[in-house]
Amino acid sequence: DEIIIRSAIMHILDSTVGMPVLSDELLPLTPDMNDFLRNHIYKVISGDELKTCVFDEENSEVYRLIQDFTEENMVETTKKLAELLYSIMNANVDIPPADVFFVTYQMESEHHLAILKMNYKEVYMHYTSMNEEDGNVNDVMKQCCALPGGSGRLSEAVTISLAENTVQLIEKKAEINGAKVNYLSEVYLQCHAKMSQKTKLDIVTK
């Protein structure tokens, strides 16, 4: 089924900086950006690591923010959602820094909000400098804040049905207070997640 991207915004959550860098404007939805976001959302919702999650409605701050969410207040609401996630990341160094995309999309006439946590990758890039004595000098530099490419697969992402408040997510554990925890579902979203199809298959296989 076709995924129609409606709007998107990116917030920079680099815990090594000491504060989040929050955007005041939505992203321009160019054809390349549309394809980039659509591909990642499709891989998230079609993967066998996807889990269903049910909000703890009494205690979840994310749930409360989602109740008032509209595309008209997307900038301000996603800032609050990003600040909440950053506070968890900043207090737990095992959680990798990332750029987080908040994307509204439509599928089968239903509106959804995707939270795509794009953890940084180290990549090496070439660059050219010029001096009067030697002419062009080609060199290589390491870039520590590269995003996953469009052909990659995210390891942490959430999709929320805005009509039904149902949640699906993929996640990985991080160390919090000396224990490995599914922080995305248990600490950030505060929801109860069922096992993914992949986890069920692994248990049966063992």
Side-chain angles (χ1 to χ4, degrees):
D1 295 313
E2 186 176 4
I3 296 170
I4 301 171
I5 305 298
R6 294 175 56 90
S7 56
I9 190 169
M10 181 193 72
H11 299 301
I12 299 172
L13 305 186
D14 186 348
S15 47
T16 64
V17 173
M19 62 182 294
V21 181
L22 306 176
S23 178
D24 295 314
E25 297 288 340
L26 298 178
L27 281 169
L29 291 178
T30 63
D32 285 344
M33 180 56 65
N34 263 301
D35 289 343
F36 177 72
L37 296 173
R38 189 183 298 111
N39 288 342
H40 277 300
I41 290 171
Y42 174 75
K43 288 175 183 176
V44 169
I45 63 178
S46 63
D48 59 5
E49 295 185 352
L50 192 69
K51 299 188 287 188
T52 301
C53 187
V54 179
F55 278 119
D56 179 351
E57 297 182 7
E58 290 186 5
N59 298 307
S60 173
E61 180 64 21
V62 172
Y63 175 79
R64 285 192 285 271
L65 289 169
I66 293 299
Q67 299 314 295
D68 298 323
F69 177 84
T70 66
E71 289 181 327
E72 286 71 29
N73 66 23
M74 183 168 182
V75 173
E76 293 307 314
T77 302
T78 61
K79 281 184 179 182
K80 293 175 183 177
L81 290 167
E83 286 174 333
L84 180 61
L85 179 55
Y86 185 82
S87 67
I88 297 167
M89 294 168 61
N90 202 38
N92 299 280
V93 296
D94 195 43
I95 301 175
D99 289 352
V100 179
F101 289 73
F102 293 84
V103 186
T104 58
Y105 68 96
Q106 186 174 327
M107 189 173 67
E108 294 182 343
S109 300
E110 291 188 9
H111 291 185
H112 302 260
L113 173 67
I115 304 173
L116 308 176
K117 185 169 181 283
M118 300 197 182
N119 297 333
Y120 298 147
K121 298 170 57 180
E122 286 189 354
V123 297
Y124 288 85
M125 302 176 63
H126 71 257
Y127 72 97
T128 299
S129 60
M130 182 180 293
N131 60 52
E132 294 181 358
E133 295 180 1
D134 302 319
N136 286 337
V137 178
N138 295 334
D139 204 347
V140 174
M141 64 183 296
K142 182 168 70 172
Q143 170 61 259
C144 298
C145 297
L147 300 180
S151 60
R153 187 180 291 272
L154 302 182
S155 60
E156 298 182 280
V158 180
T159 67
I160 303 171
S161 167
L162 295 176
E164 301 179 0
N165 293 318
T166 53
V167 181
Q168 292 183 303
L169 78 159
I170 55 173
E171 60 182 342
K172 64 178 185 179
K173 293 184 177 181
E175 186 172 313
I176 296 179
N177 297 326
K180 289 288 186 179
V181 175
N182 283 319
Y183 77 93
L184 203 56
S185 60
E186 296 176 22
V187 183
Y188 177 57
L189 297 172
Q190 292 194 31
C191 66
H192 309 291
K194 300 177 181 178
M195 288 187 293
S196 67
Q197 292 299 320
K198 182 178 183 300
T199 301
K200 291 178 183 178
L201 180 60
D202 288 344
I203 292 172
V204 171
T205 302
K206 288 179 181 179

